[in-house]
Amino acid sequence: MKQLTINPSMTADLPDVFEGRHFIDGKWRDGRETFERVSPSHGVVVSRSAKGGVAETEAAIEAARRAFDSGVWSRASGKDRATILLKVAELIEADVDRIALQETLESGKPITQARGEVSGAADLWRYAASLARSTHGDSHNTLGDDMLGVVLKEPIGVVSIITPWNFPFWILSQKLPFALAAGCTVVVKPSEVTPSSTVMMGELLEQAGLPAGVCNIVLGFGDPVGSLMSTHDAVDMVTFTGSTAVGKAITKASAGTLKKVALELGGKNAQVIFPDANLDDAADAVVFGAYFNVGQCCNSSSRLIVHADIAQDFIARVVALSRDVVFGDPLNPDTQVGAIVTPEHNSKIDGDVRDAVAAGAKIELGGGYLDVPGLGRQFYQPTVVSGVTPDMEIAGHEVFGPVLSILEFNTLDEAVTLTNGTSYGLSAGVWSENVHTCLAFARRAEAGTVWTNTWMDGFPELAFGGVKQSGQGREIGRYGFDEFLEIKSVVMRVGRTRPSWVRSRVA
């Protein structure tokens, strides 16, 4: 039997420990306490960050509020905002290697992938800059000769941005430039697991000339930093990416102030394979979707729904391709899949697989920890689980690891039912050479994004987000930009044509 392809450790000298500080009102601040991040791949401390509390969070929110109310950014021209956003894009591209290396050390993702994400994020900043200059409201001149109505789009205010550990720089760039393009001021809290690339973003914003207080960064934990960012009266909106459970908690916590909440949460995304599909292309996309970012991706295609007539053949293709995916040291440029973020999460993944087997599923490949020479067991094998039925927990539960669950179908109706049969609705995919099949599926799938004959292609112009318990609101694209805007109607009377309401008494 062919063995898995594993890259052993090639690490020689790691960089010095990165020292992360808060960025509040245009100044860098140390913390009274610090916390450390140990690399999941290499087992050494790679960052030491200031630990924020109530005082730092309140200072950051107050700075963002002052900056917004002053108009230094909220009333700046679209041209001025765009100029700084474009400068940030240039600075990102000039600093890709430094940012990507630190993100790889903290997250465990492959260095090649990290470089692609960091460099690709620059395009999000450029697109957001275009929106800063092109956004506009509406006018209504059909209300009568003496009336004119204007609908304005204005920045919503102070925005709390809370980002996850799996794509820290990329997801920050799905939120921050769009909020800034709209004229908002922000407070950012990165995950305590991967804080450093956000600090590096703060350095780039400072270099680009962003006014003090417009973007503030507080490092720390959900309690108290994230909690206060979600409940503070001076915050007008919270945008969060992460687990559905935490998203629900933020929604509940923010209800007391009725602030706007935008959420991008979990997913149990399906790729549906019909018999007339190009099976080679589909199998490659399924393997990519299952193992990209070690499956620690809300958009992971962790469910394969395959037609019964081709199921055995297609499973064999997926298993064979899975063996060729290169797992190993994230610092090796040839590595495609790196480490699991924490030992605790690795144990959770293994427990989910074991529970599936106990429920009657069959392991076609993997199903255990992966020992990478020189790096240990902070990895998990590519795992393919067949014989999954809709009643099994693994059919609807987000494993968040390199684990593919396989279900079978016979008709389009059954495929749609299986696809929609979870509490999630982030994305879905369909593979068929028949355009009618693809369109019928796309129309009926309960998902924020549906891919046909591809997987995880994305563009700054296209909105991203989910339905059901995968979230609310949208990110990127013009629809994502609109999340940071409030609508104001201005009604103007032309001339002194308003009739008096109070009637004067006649003497």
Side-chain angles (χ1 to χ4, degrees):
M1 178 181 292
K2 182 179 179 182
Q3 298 298 309
L4 297 176
T5 305
I6 302 174
N7 272 340
S9 175
M10 59 175 288
T11 304
D13 297 318
L14 296 177
D16 293 337
V17 174
F18 183 85
E19 301 286 345
R21 296 181 293 166
H22 311 299
F23 185 56
I24 301 173
D25 205 12
K27 297 181 176 62
W28 294 98
R29 299 191 185 184
D30 293 318
R32 287 167 291 182
E33 298 181 69
T34 61
F35 62 95
E36 295 179 337
R37 172 60 173 160
V38 174
S39 170
S41 306
H42 304 93
V44 297
V45 175
V46 291
S47 66
R48 185 175 298 109
S49 303
K51 183 179 179 181
V54 171
E56 292 84 0
T57 309
E58 287 186 337
I61 293 172
E62 290 167 4
R65 184 80 262 167
R66 283 195 306 271
F68 183 84
D69 293 344
S70 76
V72 66
W73 187 254
S74 59
R75 294 195 292 275
S77 69
K79 176 184 176 181
D80 289 346
R81 292 180 201 157
T83 298
I84 288 183
L85 267 58
L86 291 171
K87 180 62 175 177
V88 173
E90 294 175 0
L91 292 170
I92 290 172
E93 291 179 330
D95 209 16
V96 168
D97 287 343
R98 183 178 75 106
I99 299 170
L101 175 58
Q102 189 64 31
E103 190 153 296
T104 289
L105 292 174
E106 288 186 342
S107 70
K109 68 176 57 190
I111 186 68
T112 303
Q113 177 188 323
R115 287 178 182 139
E117 290 168 12
V118 174
S119 61
D123 197 34
L124 294 170
W125 284 80
R126 289 196 173 96
Y127 180 70
S130 74
L131 295 175
R133 299 196 66 166
S134 62
T135 188
H136 58 84
D138 298 299
S139 62
H140 296 267
N141 62 346
T142 59
L143 308 178
D145 288 344
D146 60 345
M147 298 298 296
L148 180 64
V150 178
V151 178
L152 306 178
K153 293 184 178 180
E154 299 185 338
I156 197 168
V158 175
V159 179
S160 290
I161 297 177
I162 304 174
T163 56
W165 51 260
N166 54 344
F167 296 94
F169 197 83
W170 177 264
I171 290 179
L172 177 62
S173 295
Q174 288 191 162
K175 300 175 185 287
L176 179 56
F178 294 87
L180 295 179
C184 299
T185 59
V186 302
V187 179
V188 180
K189 190 200 91 66
S191 167
E192 64 275 11
V193 176
T194 53
S196 298
S197 62
T198 299
V199 176
M200 293 175 174
M201 175 68 82
E203 296 170 356
L204 303 187
L205 293 172
E206 185 179 35
Q207 292 177 47
L210 189 72
V214 174
C215 179
N216 307 272
I217 299 169
V218 182
L219 310 177
F221 294 75
D223 183 16
V225 179
S227 177
L228 188 54
M229 288 170 62
S230 303
T231 57
H232 201 288
D233 286 341
V235 172
D236 301 293
M237 175 182 175
V238 179
T239 175
F240 166 81
T241 296
S243 72
T244 297
V246 175
K248 290 178 179 179
I250 288 175
T251 301
K252 183 177 181 180
S254 64
T257 52
L258 288 179
K259 59 176 83 312
K260 183 175 184 178
V261 177
L263 304 170
E264 194 272 285
L265 307 174
K268 189 68 176 178
N269 314 295
Q271 293 204 57
V272 176
I273 318 298
F274 283 86
D276 65 338
N278 183 314
L279 299 185
D280 288 335
D281 288 351
D284 184 82
V286 167
V287 171
F288 163 67
Y291 306 135
F292 175 72
N293 211 59
V294 209
Q296 298 172 139
C297 176
C298 59
N299 243 352
S300 170
S301 56
S302 55
R303 283 191 300 159
L304 167 61
I305 301 176
V306 59
H307 196 282
D309 290 350
I310 60 168
Q312 292 308 307
D313 173 59
F314 195 78
I315 292 171
R317 292 172 188 253
V318 168
V319 169
L321 285 178
S322 296
R323 295 186 184 279
D324 288 335
V325 177
V326 183
F327 283 61
D329 186 353
L331 293 180
N332 189 322
D334 295 326
T335 295
Q336 294 174 284
V337 182
I340 302 300
V341 66
T342 64
E344 295 77 14
H345 188 57
N346 211 6
S347 296
K348 173 190 171 297
I349 293 169
D350 191 56
D352 288 340
V353 173
R354 292 179 183 277
D355 289 346
V357 173
K362 175 186 176 184
I363 293 181
E364 301 280 351
L365 177 70
Y369 300 107
L370 178 62
D371 191 353
V372 174
L375 296 180
R377 301 177 69 211
Q378 192 59 37
F379 300 79
Y380 202 80
Q381 298 177 35
T383 299
V384 178
V385 182
S386 65
V388 176
T389 55
D391 59 304
M392 294 182 184
E393 186 173 5
I394 200 170
H397 170 68
E398 187 179 33
V399 176
F400 223 61
V403 179
L404 179 66
S405 305
I406 303 176
L407 300 92
E408 298 181 18
F409 75 96
N410 289 287
T411 66
L412 172 63
D413 286 346
E414 188 178 357
V416 171
T417 298
L418 288 172
T419 299
N420 296 341
T422 75
S423 60
Y424 297 107
L426 188 58
S427 59
V430 58
W431 290 82
S432 171
E433 294 295 283
N434 188 322
V435 67
H436 302 292
T437 299
C438 291
L439 288 175
F441 176 87
R443 292 288 297 272
R444 296 172 61 186
E446 296 172 351
T449 299
V450 179
W451 285 288
T452 68
N453 295 314
T454 189
W455 187 259
M456 220 182 294
D457 286 328
F459 303 90
E461 294 85 353
L462 299 181
F464 174 69
V467 301
K468 298 193 288 187
Q469 293 194 36
S470 286
Q472 57 191 31
R474 290 296 180 265
E475 292 186 341
I476 67 177
R478 185 167 290 277
Y479 292 105
F481 175 66
D482 285 347
E483 295 284 345
F484 299 103
L485 297 170
E486 285 281 21
I487 303 300
K488 177 187 289 183
S489 294
V490 179
V491 183
M492 298 175 282
R493 186 173 290 275
V494 181
R496 302 187 63 180
T497 61
R498 180 183 177 275
S500 298
W501 183 68
V502 178
R503 297 180 182 179
S504 299
R505 293 184 179 181
V506 178

